Each structure stands twice: as C-alpha cells, then as structure tokens.
C-alpha cells in the first residue's frame, strides 16, 4: 500500500527522497485513511493537519476518539512511517483531505514519537497476522515537505495552491487496487476449489449398491453442482480481471495524454466488478468448505482462512453496496443519455438496443444467453429509472427518490455486472481457445456454458420478466445443466490441476497433491499444543476439583 | 450430548447406574460417532466392538486410521467416559453399529487408559473452546454391561438379541437435536440482528444534504433491506421452532403408545427445517456482519464468532444437502401417494390440491402468497418426479435416475420447507397477535408481510413458473416491499429491544445497550496482548535487523 501511494501522490523530488528508502525496507510504511468513525465517507474524516508557518510544520491532531485512524495494516507494532490522510487547514481555512508522510516511531528505538498514540486493534475474524493498528495524534508536528504535493501544495507562507490537474486523477490508485482485487479473489477461489475437488476425489461416502465400494463424493451430482461452478467462476473472474487490467492500462495511458473521458466508465466498471467478484468468490469459497463437510471446518484444511481472508475484501477498498450504487449512478446517467440519443461508451452501448434485445427471440446459445443478460440489466435499469421518476412526481427531490430506490439500483448494477462478466468470459473463452486443441476447446466451452446456464437458472425470474425465455426453455436448460455436470466430471480433477498450485501455496490437509487427507489431518492434530502432555494442568487445577464437587 | 443419549438408549438398570453419576458431574462424557473417514454414512463406521465370552467383555479396536473417532466435544482433554458407536461383532457375525459406554481415562489421574489413544483435533474455524477430540483403540476391553441395551442385547454367552421394538425408535434423539437446533439458530440470529441494528442507530455516514448532520445508517434503505429480513427471520424460525417442538412432543407421545406412523413425517419435517434454518440463519448473521462494515470484522463485535458458530450447525447433526435429500425422499413418496388418491398427512396434504393451487388466481395477500409457495413446492416436486421417470424410461434404475435428479430434488425440498415456514409464521402471527393491542398486531403483521414479500421477490422465477403471478404483480410487490421497510423503520430498534438480550449475552462492542460503540472498540483494542508493551521483542529480534538489511 505504501509504495504505490507515494508514487501516485508525491512530487518527483519526494519520490527521489523517500522511494529508495521504502524500497530498501529501511522505512516500513502503511496507509492510514479510515478512522474509527469514518470509512466510506472520506470527506467526514476528522484528523486535522494544521499548517504553522512559524515553524513550517503541520500539526497533526485527533480532536475526538472517532478521529483515531483504524485498520492500517502493519500499523499496530511494525511500521515507522505512515501516509496519513487528514483535513488540511491553513490560514484558518479547511481545504479538505490530503495525504501526508508522517513518521510515527523512532527509527532507532522503535518507540512511538511524542504526541503519537499507536497500537494494535485487537483480534479480527481473519488476517490474524496483519498487525492492523490504530493511530491518534496530540499536536504531533511534521515538516511541511512531508505533504505529498503532486496534486496540491502548501507554500512556505501557508498559501494553498490547488492542483492544476484533473481532480479525478487521484482515482488512479483506488481503481488500481480494485482492479487487482478481481484477480486476487479469482486466485483464492481457484485455491479453494482445488482443495475441495481433490478432497472430493479422495473422500468416499455411502453405498448406493451393496456389492460395490463407497463412491468418491465427486461422483455425486449435488457435489458437482457445488464445485464446478466454482471452477468456472475462477476462470470467469480471471479472464474478466485480465480484461479489466487491459482496460485500466489503456485508460491510464489516455489520461497521461490528457484524455479523461473514459475514466468514469472505468470507475463504474471497476466498482461493480470489485463488488461482485469479491462477494461471489467469498460465497463460492464458503461453498467449497461446505462441500468438505466437517473436515472443511478444520483450520488445517485452509478453507476457513481462505474464506475469512476473501470475505474481508467484500468490505475493504469500497463496500459492496456502496460500490454497486456508484455503478448505478453511472448507469442511470447512461440510460438518460441513451434516451436522448447521445453516443454511448462501449460497456453501456447495449442500453441503446435494449428494446430490440428484449424482443429478440430467446435462444439457448451462449450468445443468446449473454444478450438476454444485457436485456435483464437494461430492464432493471429502466425499472429503477421509472421508480425514481414516479417518486419525483409525488414531489420528492431526485436524491430522496434515488435513496428510496436503492434496493432496485443495487440489483440493477449487479445485473449489469453479471452481463459484463458473462459476456467477457464467453468472448475471451472463444478468443483464447481459437488456437487450442479440439479437446481443450471442448472442455473450456463446456465450463463456459455451465457458467452461463447456471446463471440462467439462478435468474429465471429476471429472464421471465425481461426476455422471451419460456418455462419450457427453463426445463430444457435444467436438463442441459445436469448434462454438463456429467460431461465435466471426468475432467474435474484435471481442471483444478491446471491451476498448478504447489502444496505450499494451498497449505491444506485436504488438498495436497498426494491425497494423504487422513494422515495429514492426524499429523496436524498431533501438533496441537494441547496434545503436548497427556493430562493438562487444567485437570488438576479446575477439572478434578469440579468433578469432585469441590469447586 | 451425553445425558440424553444414556437416557435414550440405556436400560432402566443402566440409567440407574450411570445417570446419577453423570448428573452429579463425577463422570464427564461425550458422544463419539463420527470417524475420520465416515460422517454421514453411519453404516460405514469402522470401529469394532468384538465380544469375548471368556471374559464377558467387548474388545474395542480401530483397525485403520480412518476408524479414529473425530469431533467429539470435550473429548480432547476433558471427558473420562464416552458413548462410542461401533460395529458389534459376536460369534463371528457383525450386527451393525451399536452404542457403548466406554471409560477412556483414569478417574483419579485422568491419564488415558492403556489401549486408548485420545487427544485434541487441532484448531477449527470456530468453537475454539469445544475441545473436540480424536479417539482410537488398540484392543481396549470394556465390560459387557456397558453396551447400552435398551434396544438390543448381547447375552453372557454372546447371543445377540434383537430389539423387539420399532427400528425407528432410535430416531428420537437425532430428531430431538434437530428440532432444538431450529430455535437455537433463531436465537443466535436474533443476537446478530440486535447487534447490527443497534450499531446502525449509532453509526452515521455521508451527508446527502450539506446543511444537515450525517444520518444514522439505519436510515439507508439498503441497510434496512439487509437487517429487517433478519429480524423477521428470527421471528419466523422461532415460531416454526416452537411449532415443531409441539409436533415433536405429540409424535413422541404417540410413539410411546405404539403409534409410529407419524414419525416419517416428523423426520422429513425436522430434516428440512434443520437444513434451511441453519443455512438461512448463518447467511443472515453474515449479512448482519456485512452491514456493520469493517467493524463487523472485529472479533469484539462478536459477529465473527456468531457466524462461525452457526455456520457449523449447517454441517453437524446432518449435512444440509443430505437432510434435504431425506425430505425429498419423503416428498416423492407423498407425491406418488397423492397420485394414487391415498390419504395424506397434514404437511403434504397440499400435494392433493396442487393442480387447484396452481390455477388459483394470484393475489398479494399473505394467504395468497403462502398458497403460491405451496404451489411452487408442488410444481418442483412434480418436475423432479417427471425427471426421474424420464430417466427411468431410458433404462436407468430408480436409484440412478434419482441420483441424476438430486439438484432438482434438493431445490424441491427447500421449496417445501420455505412453504412450511411461511405458512407457520403467518398462521402463528395471526394466532399469537389475536389478543394483542392493535399497535403490536400491526407491527407484527408488517414484519410477517415483509418476510413473505421478501421471499416472493427472491423467488419470482419459481412463482412465474408455477403460479399465476404476473410481471405487474412483481413490480407492485417490489413497491410494497420498499413501503414496508419505511413502515418498519421507526420500530426497528424497538423490535430488537424486544428480544431482550442482556449485554453479557450479546458480548459485543457494537451492540451494547448504552451505544458506546467507539469507546468499547478502543477499550477492547487496548486489552490486546500485543499492546502490553510499546515495542515488542519481535522488533529487536527480527524487525530491526531486517530494516538494517542484516537478516
């Protein structure tokens, strides 16, 4: 977090001064923005940095308990420097939040500097080694030159100089992190589904036929239903992540040339993809854990850690609901532009054709399904717009009408995102397998089709509302879905092997390459500190007196 | 676990011998059934108890690693006695699994007895204090009279005497635990939604109007959408749990009089209700955690512990998928009986009228919605039956056709369960509020209606397939749902206060009665052992050499 932030918001001189030390690990840093009382609403941050022209320093202060920074990774007991986001005051005027490089610990003794209150935030659901910290200030002084001055400056005399550049340029880092998260969670989902699929090939259960051994649980259709969508989604999110990365690189390139009109589209895209991919990946990882029964609950399976790690990504760097509402803002504007006949950017051009799409006859092809998903998104955006307008007619302001429609708006943005993921996954599968062997292409297409049909069956209500799909089509697709599970079964283990994870990375008793599931579970159990002695002290101290009625 | 099992499966003499000691806590016990290699498939258990008429003892043995018992609560380092389920061998014949009372530790020294291998299974996702253990035997000898002989016996000479009673009588304890779980998870969901609702009344965020303070996040419609369904579901599951308990008590009463024909219905009901209530409660607890943003991830919020505790109930005492398939077996049989015009037990009598229900004109009343949910269940059962029959026509056996249809069968059993919950919640609300004040009745009915409309909107696809609901109805119900959120907002805090939890029970920084959220978060953070000294030893040992490039 530290290095990209310095790179993004510091002047070249500041970069020259600090980056080598940061890269050389002489100074360890973190980013401290979120406060105990404020996360999403950055304008509401309470930490102040007040400029004192006498000493040419900023005075950092936490006026309230809720102003304490909270969450910074490594902040608790590790870092000696921080990028602190604070309300900048100079000459009695507040200029809003700005980033500053703040030393918080002595470089030699590691003791917190005077006026700095820093510590660890206490146990969390996961991320146990993240050393998340809190940070407060009591009139802590920082040299003027520690303000990251790429986009705005405070001169020696305290004069504030606004950035000449586009105000949205600072979105860069934020969007970068969200883009990265899409394939980070795809990667973790791939780990979980590798663990669960390998375990399902080892584990045996029940005896449908008295004369035969217990089948591998991977042979049960309900198990395939839980796992194969996980494999497919890992592909879908990975492909979408790469595609988003290319889009990001292109937009950043254009921005450097002064062209910023594609930034809102990228922002809308990255927001919904971050929200939906983190949420889907977390749910599917948890589904992998469920698919491993009780053993999935063992920490040594690594599935609990994967879940608690990925579920955090649903909240940090932009909460799920907040991000989908940001995308919804963009979609509602795009809808209005489409109504006015204005030119549309690529990812929302389908809104122009939505009336056409909706009447287009349903067909069960991948192309037909993808088109119908766009029709659903368009239908939901239109319904949201209609709800807002209906409410405005009763005298409500746009903002109040918007607020009352947010449940629908979140659903519309999610539908848009699913259409983009489905479309990207389908097109990228076609593109990437065009030169593959026929057998590889066939499996990749089956997986892609499974993904699309799965989502048709998950969203029959929307499709029956906004496309020409019929009840008969739904029944036929249910059959096709079950067929695809059977078709993919022989390649299930091969598909997860293709993710090519080393045992050290999976770190799982259930998912190791050698399949020694039970041996590894027992080996890990024997390492439990509780097993170091046959009878714990707690027996003599508590249990025995209790059992003898003496407690 | 220990006492009910002894009561259920021991003879009166055994109960007289062991129960007083168990109740007096002189002996601590647990139930050890699940093995490393077998959970769901009890017939596959590998631990053997072989009768030796010479010494009148059973010889307990674990022939393989996978035969080791795994999970027993308190087994790791605490209990000295176990109810062990093992394959009973006598006179060279295996008579299947039976329960035995086995002493595993010395009563004085607490040392494991010779031939007993026992220890703790290692860290888990939650239940950190459960002391779950493993247990293996090397020819460990147990007196004959420790076999729990209420339902079957082994005589001194080794003769096996089968139970004269109904084979299904041993279902009692299993069903009892599942019935209990329905309201246990309702209770935990109520805790989570109390924490999240109180926090949402304290937390403020954003500034939609520049001249006004930041609103409570409980005023955001998306937040209400996340929380109010949790309050409603806590009521729905609690009411259903009580109703199920009454049904259980009645059936057990009938069984004691020799009438066992209502047992299959109870078993089918308890199975699906256990599956759906544990799964829904876990999801909604997690949704409460999401609704608290980053602070919900803090262990001190207690939401992570509530989730990891309740999510385990989805697996133990009968896995979600396995239980729904057990209910599906019952439903498919019931469907066939309805086709044959046979008499139906109460909870499936709707299958007789399914054709009628499906054609009945949709209406938006609670009664109309409940009826439509039954029509959906009937439609899905019929579709499953049709799939099985279609597959059998291609030459497959019933079991193979069943297996290929399991994805649909799970969905059908879930739909059945949702219809039962909706119906019970609606009827119980009407009954229980018949003598309430008009204002209480009004709020309880709003909550009930919110629940029903929520599930209509979640299941529009099924309803468009299997009822006469129209697209216009769906739009109208979306509006009604949003209205209900507004109507319930003023009573949201009152509704969770009515659960009447003490702070000690909620154990949450975010959910305490006094609303001192931020103070409590900081107080808990300061208790973190990492904060005991300003600079940890790890700095001198690792961090400093690392920062100086000496590591």
């Amino acid at each position: 977090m530290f290095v990209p932030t310095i790179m993004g918001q510091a002047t070249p001189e500041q970069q020259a001064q600090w980056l080598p030390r940061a890269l050389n690990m002489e100074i360890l840093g973190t980013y401290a923005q979120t406060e105990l009382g404020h996360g999403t609403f950055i304008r509401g941050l309470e930490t102040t940095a007040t400029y004192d022209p006498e000493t040419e320093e900023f005075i950092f202060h936490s006026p309230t308990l809720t102003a304490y920074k909270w969450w910074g990774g490594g902040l608790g007991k590790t870092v000696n420097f921080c990028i602190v986001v604070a309300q900048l005051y100079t000459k009695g005027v507040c200029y809003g939040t700005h980033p500053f490089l703040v030393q918080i610990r002595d470089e030699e003794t590691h003791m917190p500097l005077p006026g700095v209150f820093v510590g660890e935030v206490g146990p969390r659901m996961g991320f146990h080694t993240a050393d998340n910290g809190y940070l407060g200030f009591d009139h802590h002084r920082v040299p003027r030159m520690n303000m990251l001055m790429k986009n705005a400056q405070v001169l020696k005399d305290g004069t504030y100089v606004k950035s000449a550049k586009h105000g949205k340029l600072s979105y860069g880092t934020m969007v970068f992190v969200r883009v990265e998260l899409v394939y980070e969670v795809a990667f973790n989902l791939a780990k979980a589904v590798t663990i669960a699929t390998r375990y399902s090939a080892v584990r045996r259960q029940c005896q449908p036929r008295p004369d035969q051994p217990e089948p591998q649980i991977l042979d049960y259709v309900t198990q395939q239903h839980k796992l194969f969508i996980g494999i497919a989604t890992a592909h879908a999110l990975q492909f979408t992540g790469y595609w988003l990365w290319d889009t990001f690189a292109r937009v950043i390139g254009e921005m450097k040339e002064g062209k910023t009109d594609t930034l809102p589209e990228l922002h809308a895209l990255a927001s919904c993809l971050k929200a939906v991919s983190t949420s889907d990946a977390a749910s599917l990882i948890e589904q992998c854990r469920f698919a491993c029964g009780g053993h999935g609950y063992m920490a040594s399976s690594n599935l609990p850690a994967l879940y608690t790690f990925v579920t955090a990504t649903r909240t940090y760097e932009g909460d799920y609901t907040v991000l989908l509402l940001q995308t919804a803002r963009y979609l509602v504007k795009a809808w209005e532009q489409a109504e006015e006949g204005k030119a549309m950017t690529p990812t929302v051009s389908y809104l122009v054709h939505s009336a056409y799409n909706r009447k287009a006859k349903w067909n069960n092809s991948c192309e037909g399904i993808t088109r119908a998903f766009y029709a659903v998104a368009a239908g939901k955006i239109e319904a949201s717009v209609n709800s807002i307008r209906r409410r405005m007619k009763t005298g409500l302001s746009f903002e109040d009408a918007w607020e009352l429609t947010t449940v629908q708006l979140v659903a519309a943005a999610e539908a848009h995102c699913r259409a983009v993921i489905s479309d990207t996954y389908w097109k990228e599968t076609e593109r990437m397998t065009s030169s593959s062997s026929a057998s590889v292409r066939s499996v990749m297409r089956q997986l892609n089709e499974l993904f699309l049909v799965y989502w048709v069956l998950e969203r029959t209500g929307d499709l029956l509302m906004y496309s020409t799909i019929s009840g008969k089509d739904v029944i036929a697709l249910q059959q096709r879905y079950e067929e695809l599970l059977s078709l993919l079964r022989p390649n299930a283990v091969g598909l997860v092997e293709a993710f090519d994870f080393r045992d050290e990375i999976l770190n799982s008793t259930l998912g190791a390459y050698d399949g020694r599931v039970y041996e590894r579970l027992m080996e890990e159990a024997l390492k439990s500190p509780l097993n170091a002695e046959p009878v714990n002290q707690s027996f003599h101290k508590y249990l025995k007196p209790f059992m003898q009625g003496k407690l």
Side-chain angles (χ1 to χ4, degrees), chain A residues 334-335 337-339 341-360 371-372 374-379 382 466:
Chain A
W335 180 266
Q337 287 170 351
E339 281 183 328
K342 287 187 185 160
M344 308 296 287
T345 48
T347 58
V348 286
S349 61
Y350 70 92
L351 294 178
V352 177
H353 305 293
S354 69
Y356 159 75
N357 278 325
R358 217 172 314 164
K359 280 172 201 154
R371 190 177 54 194
Y374 278 123
V376 166
E382 185 180 20
Y466 299 116

Short mmCIF file of all heavy atoms in Angstrom, two decimals, chain A residues 334-335 337-339 341-360 371-372 374-379 382 466:
data_model
loop_
_atom_site.label_atom_id
_atom_site.label_comp_id
_atom_site.label_asym_id
_atom_site.label_seq_id
_atom_site.Cartn_x
_atom_site.Cartn_y
_atom_site.Cartn_z
N ALA A 334 -26.28 6.97 -17.93
CA ALA A 334 -26.15 6.39 -19.27
C ALA A 334 -27.53 6.14 -19.87
O ALA A 334 -27.75 6.36 -21.07
CB ALA A 334 -25.36 5.08 -19.19
N TRP A 335 -28.47 5.69 -19.04
CA TRP A 335 -29.84 5.46 -19.52
C TRP A 335 -30.44 6.76 -20.06
O TRP A 335 -31.04 6.78 -21.14
CB TRP A 335 -30.71 4.90 -18.40
CG TRP A 335 -32.11 4.64 -18.85
CD1 TRP A 335 -33.19 5.47 -18.75
CD2 TRP A 335 -32.58 3.48 -19.54
NE1 TRP A 335 -34.29 4.91 -19.31
CE2 TRP A 335 -33.95 3.68 -19.80
CE3 TRP A 335 -31.97 2.29 -19.96
CZ2 TRP A 335 -34.74 2.72 -20.47
CZ3 TRP A 335 -32.75 1.35 -20.61
CH2 TRP A 335 -34.12 1.56 -20.87
N GLN A 337 -28.79 9.32 -21.13
CA GLN A 337 -28.09 9.67 -22.38
C GLN A 337 -28.62 8.85 -23.56
O GLN A 337 -28.77 9.36 -24.66
CB GLN A 337 -26.59 9.46 -22.21
CG GLN A 337 -25.97 10.55 -21.32
CD GLN A 337 -24.53 10.23 -20.96
OE1 GLN A 337 -24.03 9.14 -21.22
NE2 GLN A 337 -23.86 11.20 -20.33
N ALA A 338 -28.89 7.57 -23.31
CA ALA A 338 -29.42 6.71 -24.37
C ALA A 338 -30.79 7.23 -24.82
O ALA A 338 -31.09 7.27 -26.02
CB ALA A 338 -29.52 5.27 -23.89
N GLU A 339 -31.59 7.63 -23.86
CA GLU A 339 -32.91 8.20 -24.20
C GLU A 339 -32.77 9.44 -25.07
O GLU A 339 -33.58 9.68 -25.96
CB GLU A 339 -33.66 8.59 -22.90
CG GLU A 339 -34.29 7.44 -22.17
CD GLU A 339 -35.07 7.91 -20.95
OE1 GLU A 339 -34.69 8.92 -20.32
OE2 GLU A 339 -36.08 7.24 -20.63
N GLY A 341 -30.48 9.95 -27.11
CA GLY A 341 -29.84 9.61 -28.38
C GLY A 341 -28.36 9.97 -28.45
O GLY A 341 -27.79 10.05 -29.52
N LYS A 342 -27.73 10.19 -27.28
CA LYS A 342 -26.30 10.53 -27.27
C LYS A 342 -25.44 9.30 -27.53
O LYS A 342 -25.89 8.16 -27.36
CB LYS A 342 -25.93 11.14 -25.91
CG LYS A 342 -26.46 12.56 -25.73
CD LYS A 342 -25.91 13.17 -24.46
CE LYS A 342 -26.55 14.55 -24.22
NZ LYS A 342 -26.43 14.98 -22.82
N ALA A 343 -24.18 9.55 -27.89
CA ALA A 343 -23.23 8.45 -28.13
C ALA A 343 -22.93 7.76 -26.80
O ALA A 343 -22.82 8.42 -25.77
CB ALA A 343 -21.94 9.00 -28.73
N MET A 344 -22.79 6.42 -26.84
CA MET A 344 -22.58 5.66 -25.61
C MET A 344 -21.19 5.03 -25.60
O MET A 344 -20.71 4.58 -26.63
CB MET A 344 -23.62 4.52 -25.52
CG MET A 344 -25.07 4.97 -25.69
SD MET A 344 -25.59 6.08 -24.37
CE MET A 344 -25.74 4.90 -23.05
N THR A 345 -20.58 4.95 -24.40
CA THR A 345 -19.30 4.23 -24.26
C THR A 345 -19.58 2.72 -24.37
O THR A 345 -20.71 2.28 -24.16
CB THR A 345 -18.63 4.58 -22.92
OG1 THR A 345 -19.60 4.46 -21.89
CG2 THR A 345 -18.08 6.00 -22.95
N PRO A 346 -18.53 1.94 -24.71
CA PRO A 346 -18.76 0.53 -25.09
C PRO A 346 -19.57 -0.30 -24.11
O PRO A 346 -20.51 -1.00 -24.51
CB PRO A 346 -17.34 -0.04 -25.23
CG PRO A 346 -16.45 1.14 -25.42
CD PRO A 346 -17.11 2.33 -24.81
N THR A 347 -19.23 -0.25 -22.81
CA THR A 347 -19.86 -1.21 -21.89
C THR A 347 -21.33 -0.91 -21.61
O THR A 347 -22.01 -1.72 -20.99
CB THR A 347 -19.12 -1.28 -20.53
OG1 THR A 347 -19.10 0.01 -19.94
CG2 THR A 347 -17.70 -1.80 -20.71
N VAL A 348 -21.82 0.28 -22.03
CA VAL A 348 -23.25 0.56 -21.83
C VAL A 348 -23.99 0.78 -23.15
O VAL A 348 -25.14 1.18 -23.15
CB VAL A 348 -23.47 1.78 -20.90
CG1 VAL A 348 -23.16 1.41 -19.46
CG2 VAL A 348 -22.66 2.97 -21.35
N SER A 349 -23.30 0.47 -24.26
CA SER A 349 -23.95 0.68 -25.56
C SER A 349 -25.19 -0.20 -25.71
O SER A 349 -26.08 0.11 -26.48
CB SER A 349 -22.95 0.41 -26.69
OG SER A 349 -22.53 -0.93 -26.61
N TYR A 350 -25.23 -1.28 -24.93
CA TYR A 350 -26.41 -2.17 -25.02
C TYR A 350 -27.69 -1.46 -24.62
O TYR A 350 -28.79 -1.88 -24.98
CB TYR A 350 -26.21 -3.43 -24.18
CG TYR A 350 -26.24 -3.22 -22.69
CD1 TYR A 350 -27.41 -3.33 -21.96
CD2 TYR A 350 -25.07 -2.92 -21.98
CE1 TYR A 350 -27.43 -3.15 -20.58
CE2 TYR A 350 -25.08 -2.73 -20.61
CZ TYR A 350 -26.26 -2.84 -19.91
OH TYR A 350 -26.28 -2.67 -18.55
N LEU A 351 -27.58 -0.38 -23.87
CA LEU A 351 -28.80 0.33 -23.43
C LEU A 351 -29.54 0.93 -24.63
O LEU A 351 -30.77 1.05 -24.60
CB LEU A 351 -28.45 1.41 -22.41
CG LEU A 351 -27.90 0.90 -21.08
CD1 LEU A 351 -27.53 2.06 -20.16
CD2 LEU A 351 -28.90 -0.03 -20.38
N VAL A 352 -28.80 1.29 -25.66
CA VAL A 352 -29.43 1.83 -26.88
C VAL A 352 -30.31 0.78 -27.51
O VAL A 352 -31.41 1.06 -28.00
CB VAL A 352 -28.34 2.29 -27.88
CG1 VAL A 352 -29.00 2.79 -29.16
CG2 VAL A 352 -27.47 3.37 -27.26
N HIS A 353 -29.84 -0.44 -27.49
CA HIS A 353 -30.54 -1.51 -28.20
C HIS A 353 -31.44 -2.31 -27.27
O HIS A 353 -31.93 -3.37 -27.64
CB HIS A 353 -29.52 -2.46 -28.83
CG HIS A 353 -28.56 -1.76 -29.71
ND1 HIS A 353 -28.92 -1.17 -30.89
CD2 HIS A 353 -27.22 -1.52 -29.56
CE1 HIS A 353 -27.86 -0.61 -31.45
NE2 HIS A 353 -26.82 -0.81 -30.66
N SER A 354 -31.68 -1.81 -26.07
CA SER A 354 -32.35 -2.66 -25.10
C SER A 354 -33.74 -3.08 -25.55
O SER A 354 -34.15 -4.21 -25.36
CB SER A 354 -32.42 -1.96 -23.74
OG SER A 354 -33.32 -0.87 -23.82
N ALA A 355 -34.46 -2.16 -26.19
CA ALA A 355 -35.80 -2.52 -26.65
C ALA A 355 -35.71 -3.67 -27.64
O ALA A 355 -36.44 -4.66 -27.54
CB ALA A 355 -36.46 -1.31 -27.30
N TYR A 356 -34.72 -3.59 -28.53
CA TYR A 356 -34.51 -4.66 -29.51
C TYR A 356 -34.18 -5.97 -28.82
O TYR A 356 -34.77 -7.01 -29.08
CB TYR A 356 -33.38 -4.25 -30.47
CG TYR A 356 -32.75 -5.41 -31.17
CD1 TYR A 356 -33.40 -6.06 -32.22
CD2 TYR A 356 -31.51 -5.90 -30.76
CE1 TYR A 356 -32.83 -7.14 -32.85
CE2 TYR A 356 -30.93 -6.99 -31.37
CZ TYR A 356 -31.59 -7.61 -32.43
OH TYR A 356 -31.03 -8.68 -33.04
N ASN A 357 -33.22 -5.88 -27.88
CA ASN A 357 -32.77 -7.10 -27.21
C ASN A 357 -33.91 -7.82 -26.52
O ASN A 357 -33.96 -9.04 -26.49
CB ASN A 357 -31.73 -6.73 -26.13
CG ASN A 357 -30.35 -6.56 -26.73
OD1 ASN A 357 -30.01 -7.28 -27.67
ND2 ASN A 357 -29.59 -5.61 -26.23
N ARG A 358 -34.78 -7.03 -25.92
CA ARG A 358 -35.83 -7.64 -25.13
C ARG A 358 -36.80 -8.42 -25.99
O ARG A 358 -37.34 -9.42 -25.55
CB ARG A 358 -36.57 -6.56 -24.33
CG ARG A 358 -36.95 -7.05 -22.97
CD ARG A 358 -37.50 -5.95 -22.13
NE ARG A 358 -36.66 -4.75 -22.22
CZ ARG A 358 -37.07 -3.57 -21.82
NH1 ARG A 358 -38.28 -3.41 -21.34
NH2 ARG A 358 -36.26 -2.52 -21.90
N LYS A 359 -37.01 -7.92 -27.21
CA LYS A 359 -37.98 -8.63 -28.06
C LYS A 359 -37.31 -9.75 -28.85
O LYS A 359 -38.00 -10.59 -29.41
CB LYS A 359 -38.66 -7.62 -28.99
CG LYS A 359 -39.78 -6.87 -28.25
CD LYS A 359 -40.33 -5.75 -29.10
CE LYS A 359 -41.03 -4.71 -28.25
NZ LYS A 359 -41.04 -3.39 -28.87
N ALA A 360 -35.97 -9.73 -28.91
CA ALA A 360 -35.28 -10.77 -29.69
C ALA A 360 -35.65 -12.13 -29.13
O ALA A 360 -35.66 -12.33 -27.91
CB ALA A 360 -33.78 -10.56 -29.59
N ARG A 371 -26.84 -12.10 -24.47
CA ARG A 371 -27.70 -11.00 -24.91
C ARG A 371 -28.87 -10.82 -23.95
O ARG A 371 -29.25 -9.70 -23.60
CB ARG A 371 -28.21 -11.28 -26.33
CG ARG A 371 -28.89 -10.10 -26.97
CD ARG A 371 -29.31 -10.41 -28.39
NE ARG A 371 -30.13 -11.64 -28.40
CZ ARG A 371 -30.43 -12.33 -29.50
NH1 ARG A 371 -29.98 -11.95 -30.68
NH2 ARG A 371 -31.19 -13.41 -29.42
N ALA A 372 -29.42 -11.94 -23.49
CA ALA A 372 -30.56 -11.85 -22.56
C ALA A 372 -30.13 -11.24 -21.22
O ALA A 372 -30.90 -10.51 -20.59
CB ALA A 372 -31.15 -13.24 -22.34
N TYR A 374 -27.92 -8.94 -20.84
CA TYR A 374 -27.91 -7.49 -21.07
C TYR A 374 -29.35 -6.95 -21.06
O TYR A 374 -29.60 -5.85 -20.55
CB TYR A 374 -27.22 -7.15 -22.39
CG TYR A 374 -25.71 -7.11 -22.29
CD1 TYR A 374 -24.91 -7.91 -23.09
CD2 TYR A 374 -25.09 -6.25 -21.39
CE1 TYR A 374 -23.52 -7.86 -23.01
CE2 TYR A 374 -23.70 -6.20 -21.29
CZ TYR A 374 -22.92 -7.01 -22.10
OH TYR A 374 -21.55 -6.97 -22.00
N ALA A 375 -30.27 -7.73 -21.63
CA ALA A 375 -31.67 -7.29 -21.61
C ALA A 375 -32.19 -7.18 -20.18
O ALA A 375 -32.94 -6.26 -19.83
CB ALA A 375 -32.53 -8.27 -22.41
N VAL A 376 -31.77 -8.13 -19.32
CA VAL A 376 -32.17 -8.07 -17.90
C VAL A 376 -31.61 -6.80 -17.26
O VAL A 376 -32.33 -6.07 -16.56
CB VAL A 376 -31.67 -9.32 -17.14
CG1 VAL A 376 -31.77 -9.12 -15.63
CG2 VAL A 376 -32.47 -10.55 -17.57
N ALA A 377 -30.33 -6.53 -17.51
CA ALA A 377 -29.70 -5.33 -16.92
C ALA A 377 -30.45 -4.09 -17.39
O ALA A 377 -30.81 -3.23 -16.58
CB ALA A 377 -28.23 -5.27 -17.31
N ALA A 378 -30.72 -4.01 -18.70
CA ALA A 378 -31.43 -2.84 -19.23
C ALA A 378 -32.82 -2.74 -18.60
O ALA A 378 -33.26 -1.65 -18.22
CB ALA A 378 -31.54 -2.96 -20.75
N GLY A 379 -33.50 -3.87 -18.48
CA GLY A 379 -34.83 -3.88 -17.89
C GLY A 379 -34.81 -3.38 -16.45
O GLY A 379 -35.70 -2.63 -16.02
N GLU A 382 -34.08 0.36 -16.38
CA GLU A 382 -35.31 1.09 -16.76
C GLU A 382 -36.32 1.10 -15.60
O GLU A 382 -36.90 2.14 -15.29
CB GLU A 382 -35.94 0.44 -17.99
CG GLU A 382 -37.14 1.22 -18.50
CD GLU A 382 -37.79 0.59 -19.74
OE1 GLU A 382 -37.56 -0.63 -19.98
OE2 GLU A 382 -38.50 1.30 -20.45
N TYR A 466 -37.83 -10.10 -18.31
CA TYR A 466 -37.21 -9.18 -19.26
C TYR A 466 -36.69 -9.83 -20.54
O TYR A 466 -35.95 -9.20 -21.30
CB TYR A 466 -36.05 -8.42 -18.59
CG TYR A 466 -36.49 -7.59 -17.40
CD1 TYR A 466 -36.05 -7.88 -16.11
CD2 TYR A 466 -37.37 -6.52 -17.57
CE1 TYR A 466 -36.45 -7.12 -15.03
CE2 TYR A 466 -37.78 -5.75 -16.50
CZ TYR A 466 -37.32 -6.06 -15.22
OH TYR A 466 -37.72 -5.30 -14.16
#
